[in-house]
Amino acid sequence: MLTTHTDTLPPARTRSPRILPAAGPGRPRTGPPGRPPGRRDTRRPAGPRTAPTQAVRRRPARPDPHDWFAEQLLLTLSGRRPVHALLGHALPAAYDRLVELAPQAPLRPTGAPAGRYAPAPSVAHCGLCLPRPDVIEAFARIASGERLRALAFRLELGGDARWRCAAVDIGPSTRVW
C-alpha cells in the first residue's frame, strides 16, 4: 500500500460547540471560560464610562492673529515660503510691499561661520497695540543667530471676520550703530 504525506499527519482538531451557562436571567454568558461575569477586559478600568473631561474635549487654542501673522511674514521675508502664500491674507497695498521685499529676503539667516548653516530666524517676541477694536498694530523681534531685527505690521478685521495684513515695515537692513 502506498502512503502519502497527508496520511501521516495526525487528524485535524475540531472545536466542539460549547454551551455556556446563563450569565443572568435569560442571557447567555459572553467571554472566556474561567473569568467571572461582569468586567471582561482587564485593560480597562472598572466602573461606568464617563464623558471625556472638558480639557480632553477642547480643541487646541488658535494662536492670536498677530502671532500667526508674525510667523507667516517671517517665513515669507526669510525666503522659506513664497509671497503668494499670503495672497488672501494681505490687502493690496501690503501685498505689493511684500512683493517688493520678498526677493531681497531681508530676514534670511545671516552670520554663519564658514562651512556651517546659520540658524533659522525665529520670532523672539511679538507685541501689539489696539488703536481700535478692528485694528491691530503689531511688532515682532526677529532673532537670527545673535542678531535681532524689527518687523512691524498692521492688521485689519474685514467684514467677513478675517484678519488681513494692511501694512508691513521692517527695520533698517544695514547696521545703524
Side-chain angles (χ1 to χ4, degrees), residues 73 77 93-95 97-98 101 151-154 165-170:
L73 290 170
L77 296 176
Y95 186 77
R97 178 73 174 137
L98 286 170
L101 291 172
L151 171 66
F153 54 97
R154 179 183 174 102
C165 185
V168 177
D169 191 23
I170 59 171

Side-chain angles (χ1 to χ4, degrees), residues 18-21 29-40 42:
R18 287 185 291 171
I19 299 174
L20 300 174
R29 178 186 166 175
T30 60
R35 184 168 292 159
R39 187 168 163 201
R40 294 179 183 90
T42 59

Side-chain angles (χ1 to χ4, degrees), residues 74 77-78 101 104-110 121-125 139-152 169-177:
L74 170 63
L77 296 176
S78 65
L101 291 172
Q104 304 163 18
L107 298 178
R108 71 183 170 277
T110 58
S122 62
V123 177
H125 177 73
F139 66 91
R141 290 186 203 124
I142 309 297
S144 179
E146 294 191 15
R147 186 175 180 182
L148 281 178
R149 299 287 311 269
L151 171 66
D169 191 23
I170 59 171
S173 59
T174 59
R175 193 170 179 151
V176 177
W177 55 91

Side-chain angles (χ1 to χ4, degrees), residues 54-62:
Q54 193 69 3
V56 173
R57 211 178 313 154
R58 199 175 305 151
R59 290 183 183 174
R62 289 181 130 186

